[in-house]
Amino acid sequence: MAITVVGSVAFDSIETPSGRQERCLGGAATHFALAASFFTEVRVIAVVGEDFGPEQQSVFDGRSIDTTGIEHVAGKSFFWEGSYLENLNEAKTHNTELNVFATFEPKIPEAYRDSEFLFLANIDPVLQRRVREAMPDVKLVAGDTMNYWINDHRAALLEVLKGLDILLINDTEARVLGGDKNLVKAARAVMALGPKLLVIKHGEYGATLFQRDAPSSTFKAPALPLEEVVDPTGAGDSFAGGFFGYLASQKELTPASYRHAMFYGSVMGSFAVERFGTERIRALTRQEIDDRFELFRALTHLG
Amino acid sequence: MAITVVGSVAFDSIETPSGRQERCLGGAATHFALAASFFTEVRVIAVVGEDFGPEQQSVFDGRSIDTTGIEHVAGKSFFWEGSYLENLNEAKTHNTELNVFATFEPKIPEAYRDSEFLFLANIDPVLQRRVREAMPDVKLVAGDTMNYWINDHRAALLEVLKGLDILLINDTEARVLGGDKNLVKAARAVMALGPKLLVIKHGEYGATLFQRDAPSSTFKAPALPLEEVVDPTGAGDSFAGGFFGYLASQKELTPASYRHAMFYGSVMGSFAVERFGTERIRALTRQEIDDRFELFRALTHLG
C-alpha cells in the first residue's frame, strides 16, 4: 500500500570526522522516501526552489517514488549546514535557511488521496496537522518531530500527536516530551498524548518499540556495530522509511509485523550512515537489505 | 565447575533518587558471588575487618558460596560512599576508605585450587595478577577493571590483560583503554592486548560481546526497560556473575553458550538494580531468573 510523506527536501552541507560534503540532497522526506521505496510506493509532498534541477530530481527517478507533490517555486530550496565533529550522535547546526519552506502550503495531489499510510516527517506541526486533516481516511499515520517543536511549539505539536498512531523520536526528545528522565516513564507519558505506538531511537544503541495497550510487548532492535559512521544525517529518517515502508508492504499488521519493521528500520539506518547524504541508500540493493536483516538476526537471537 | 573470585567485600553507603542506604554489604566480590551462586559453586578471596560480623556473613550463608578465603583481620572493612543523584549510569564517589584492603595479600585456600574458572573482580591489577599467577591451571579467566586502573596503573593492568580470556568493562572504560571513540575499533584495540572475548556493558542499553577471532560473531544482549532503577551499585558485578556463572555451569562452551551467558548476565544485572545493595539478588529464586530470561527473549526475538 502506498505511503504519502510530507516533509523537507533540502540541500545539506555536512562536516563529520570522515570529511565534508557541500550541498548534497537531503531533507527528512528525501531520506524517508528513498528508504521506504525499497518496500512500497512512496508519494512525496514538499517544496523546492529553482536550485532543485534534473540532478536532484534524478535521486528520486527510477524508484517507486511519486514526486508529483514536490512543488517547484521561485527562490532557493531549504538549506541546512551542520557538523558532527564532537559527537556523532548530535548535529551542531551552523546555518538554517528556510527559504521556500518559510511559506510552504502543502497541497495534496488528487492521485495521492487513496494512500493508506501517511508519514508526517519532521516539519512545523502546523503543517503536519494540516496534511493529517486533509487525509482523514488513511489507515495508519506515523510521524517524527524534534526538540525545537517540542519546546517552542508544544501546543501545535500536541494537536498533531492526538492524530498519530505511531511516533518515532530519539532518547532526548522522548525525555523532554514525556517530562521524565526514565525512558519507560517518559514513553508512557508520550503515549498518553496520543500515539498508540512509540519508537524511541537510541542511535548506536538501537531502538525500542513501546506499545500503549500492551506494555509487555516492548521490543528492541539493535544497531549494527559500525567501525565508521561517515555521516549520521538522515539515519533517523531512513529508519522511519524502513520501519513504515515495511509495515505498508504487509497485507495484515500483526505483532510480528512490528518486530520485523523495527529490524528493517535499523537495517536502513545502518546503511544510511555508511556514506554522505543519500549516497549509500541510492546504491543499495534489496539483496543487501535482506543480508543485513539476517546479520541483525544473528546479532540478537540465541539460536 | 567452581569459580574462584578475588575482589572487594565492602560496606557501601549509597544515595540515589530512590533514597539512601547506610553501610549495606557490597563490594565487587560480594555482588559477583551472589549472582554466580545461582548457577555454580563460588569461592571467594577477600579481606574484611572487625566490622564484618555474623550479619554480614549471613549474606553468603545457605548458598553455594565458600567463604573460607575471606580473611578476617584487625581494623575496618573497605568502605565506599557514593551517590547517583545526577546520573544513574555513573556514581559520584564521596568517600573511599581502603582500610584493611590497603595491605591485602590474597591467599588462596588449598580447597580452592581445583577451581576451573577464575574471576578477577575490579581491584588493584597487581593483586589480580598475583592471584592469576597463583592459579595457572584454571580453564577460563575473566576480569573487570575501572578507569582509575586504566589511567593511573596502566602498566600493571596490561600485564593482567595478557592473562585474561574475557574482559568485562563499560563503554567509557573500553573507549579509554582502547584509545578510540568508536566502540568497534576500541574493542579491537582492547582485544589486541590479550582478552579473546570482550563484553562491553552499555548500562540501560544492554551489552555487546566482541570476539577477537570471530568478528562476525558479535552478539548483543538488551537491558530490561525498567521504570525505576533503585540502586545501580553492583549491576556490573551481578552481570559478570550471571555471565560467568552460567558459563561455569556448562559442560561444554559453544558459541551458543556465550550468547546465553550474555542474556543471563543482563538478567542478573536487571534484578540487581531493583533494590539497594544485595537485597534483590538475595531474595531471588531460580524460577524468577528463568522467567526473566524468557522476557529478554521476547524483547529481542522476531518470533
Side-chain angles (χ1 to χ4, degrees):
Chain A
M1 282 170 285
I3 301 175
T4 286
V5 53
V6 59
S8 57
V9 171
F11 287 88
D12 291 338
S13 287
I14 304 157
E15 192 169 3
T16 79
S18 304
R20 191 176 165 89
Q21 197 92 357
E22 301 294 343
R23 292 182 63 76
C24 48
L25 192 69
T30 304
H31 291 291
F32 176 91
L34 285 173
S37 73
F38 285 90
F39 302 91
T40 195
E41 190 198 335
V42 191
R43 299 155 172 180
V44 184
I45 299 174
V47 64
V48 293
E50 291 148 311
D51 47 5
F52 184 99
E55 188 191 331
Q56 286 72 36
Q57 179 61 41
S58 75
V59 170
F60 299 103
D61 291 343
R63 308 185 166 269
S64 58
I65 301 178
D66 188 334
T67 55
T68 318
I70 300 185
E71 194 183 352
H72 293 251
V73 302
K76 285 165 70 183
S77 300
F78 183 43
F79 172 72
W80 178 79
E81 187 180 358
S83 65
Y84 303 82
L85 296 179
E86 295 298 310
N87 181 353
L88 277 165
N89 289 317
E90 204 172 347
K92 189 173 170 186
T93 293
H94 301 292
N95 190 12
T96 303
E97 295 171 12
L98 284 179
N99 297 328
V100 298
F101 235 85
T103 52
F104 179 39
E105 293 277 352
K107 294 165 198 71
I108 296 149
E110 206 45 46
Y112 286 18
R113 298 227 166 245
D114 65 352
S115 305
E116 296 198 45
F117 284 69
L118 174 64
F119 188 74
L120 309 172
N122 170 32
I123 48 168
D124 187 335
V126 170
L127 300 182
Q128 289 181 316
R129 187 182 174 191
R130 208 169 294 162
V131 173
R132 173 70 186 92
E133 286 176 351
M135 298 185 75
D137 300 326
V138 290
K139 181 176 150 188
L140 204 69
V141 190
D144 187 8
T145 190
M146 67 189 287
N147 272 341
Y148 172 68
W149 310 116
I150 295 172
N151 290 321
D152 298 351
H153 297 256
R154 197 176 176 93
L157 179 63
L158 291 182
E159 288 303 314
V160 174
L161 293 181
K162 285 182 196 165
L164 276 194
D165 296 301
I166 310 174
L167 178 67
L168 297 98
I169 49 181
N170 69 27
D171 283 6
T172 316
E173 291 154 0
R175 290 193 168 103
V176 174
L177 182 56
D180 205 301
K181 273 192 191 177
N182 179 282
L183 271 191
V184 182
K185 289 184 188 167
R188 196 185 313 123
V190 169
M191 291 187 289
L193 300 172
K196 286 183 286 292
L197 301 181
L198 173 65
V199 177
I200 302 185
K201 296 165 287 176
H202 317 303
E204 66 171 312
Y205 298 117
T208 306
L209 170 70
F210 293 94
Q211 308 203 39
R212 192 178 66 199
D213 303 325
S216 64
S217 300
T218 299
F219 185 73
K220 287 184 170 273
L224 194 69
L226 289 170
E227 293 210 18
E228 190 180 4
V229 170
V230 172
D231 175 16
T233 316
D237 303 312
S238 301
F239 182 106
F243 175 85
F244 211 49
Y246 176 78
L247 289 180
S249 76
Q250 297 302 294
K251 280 210 180 76
E252 201 190 343
L253 294 181
T254 65
S257 311
Y258 288 97
R259 294 196 294 267
H260 282 74
M262 287 292 287
F263 268 51
Y264 279 110
S266 260
V267 163
M268 298 310 284
S270 76
F271 282 120
V273 303
E274 288 183 358
R275 295 193 211 149
F276 275 98
T278 58
E279 205 182 324
R280 184 64 183 99
I281 301 280
R282 288 173 67 188
L284 203 58
T285 65
R286 180 65 208 220
Q287 185 61 49
E288 287 177 307
I289 293 173
D290 294 339
D291 290 349
R292 188 157 289 185
F293 187 93
E294 290 311 314
L295 210 61
F296 273 74
R297 193 197 296 267
L299 196 62
T300 51
H301 284 50
L302 293 165
Chain B
M1 284 171 285
I3 301 175
T4 286
V5 54
V6 59
S8 56
V9 171
F11 287 88
D12 291 338
S13 287
I14 303 158
E15 191 169 3
T16 81
S18 305
R20 190 178 166 88
Q21 197 93 357
E22 301 295 342
R23 291 181 63 76
C24 49
L25 191 70
T30 304
H31 291 292
F32 176 91
L34 285 174
S37 73
F38 285 91
F39 302 91
T40 194
E41 189 198 335
V42 191
R43 298 154 172 181
V44 184
I45 299 174
V47 64
V48 293
E50 291 148 311
D51 47 5
F52 184 98
E55 188 191 330
Q56 286 72 37
Q57 179 61 41
S58 75
V59 170
F60 299 104
D61 291 343
R63 306 185 168 271
S64 59
I65 301 179
D66 188 335
T67 56
T68 318
I70 299 185
E71 193 182 351
H72 292 251
V73 302
K76 286 166 69 184
S77 300
F78 183 43
F79 172 72
W80 178 79
E81 187 180 357
S83 65
Y84 303 83
L85 297 179
E86 294 298 312
N87 182 353
L88 278 165
N89 290 316
E90 204 171 347
K92 189 173 171 186
T93 293
H94 300 292
N95 190 14
T96 303
E97 296 171 12
L98 284 179
N99 298 327
V100 299
F101 234 85
T103 53
F104 179 39
E105 293 278 350
K107 292 165 200 70
I108 296 150
E110 206 46 46
Y112 286 19
R113 298 226 167 248
D114 65 351
S115 305
E116 295 198 46
F117 286 68
L118 174 63
F119 188 73
L120 309 172
N122 170 33
I123 47 168
D124 188 335
V126 170
L127 300 181
Q128 290 181 314
R129 188 182 175 191
R130 209 169 292 162
V131 173
R132 173 71 186 91
E133 286 176 351
M135 299 187 74
D137 300 327
V138 289
K139 182 176 150 187
L140 205 68
V141 191
D144 187 10
T145 191
M146 66 190 286
N147 272 339
Y148 172 68
W149 309 116
I150 295 171
N151 290 321
D152 297 352
H153 296 256
R154 196 176 176 94
L157 180 63
L158 291 181
E159 287 304 314
V160 173
L161 294 180
K162 284 182 196 165
L164 276 193
D165 297 302
I166 310 173
L167 177 68
L168 297 98
I169 49 181
N170 68 29
D171 283 5
T172 316
E173 291 154 359
R175 290 193 168 103
V176 174
L177 182 57
D180 205 302
K181 272 192 192 178
N182 179 282
L183 271 191
V184 182
K185 289 183 187 167
R188 198 186 311 123
V190 169
M191 292 188 287
L193 301 172
K196 286 184 286 290
L197 300 181
L198 173 66
V199 177
I200 303 185
K201 295 165 288 175
H202 316 304
E204 66 171 313
Y205 298 118
T208 306
L209 170 71
F210 293 93
Q211 309 204 37
R212 192 178 66 198
D213 303 326
S216 64
S217 300
T218 299
F219 186 73
K220 287 185 169 271
L224 195 68
L226 289 171
E227 293 210 16
E228 190 179 5
V229 171
V230 172
D231 174 16
T233 316
D237 303 310
S238 302
F239 182 105
F243 175 83
F244 210 48
Y246 175 79
L247 289 181
S249 76
Q250 297 302 294
K251 281 209 181 74
E252 203 190 343
L253 294 180
T254 65
S257 312
Y258 288 97
R259 294 195 292 268
H260 282 73
M262 288 292 287
F263 267 51
Y264 280 109
S266 259
V267 163
M268 298 310 284
S270 76
F271 281 119
V273 304
E274 288 183 356
R275 295 194 212 150
F276 274 98
T278 58
E279 204 181 323
R280 184 64 183 99
I281 302 279
R282 288 172 69 188
L284 203 57
T285 65
R286 180 64 209 221
Q287 186 60 48
E288 286 177 308
I289 294 173
D290 294 339
D291 290 349
R292 188 157 290 185
F293 187 94
E294 290 311 314
L295 209 61
F296 273 74
R297 193 198 296 268
L299 197 61
T300 52
H301 283 50
L302 293 165

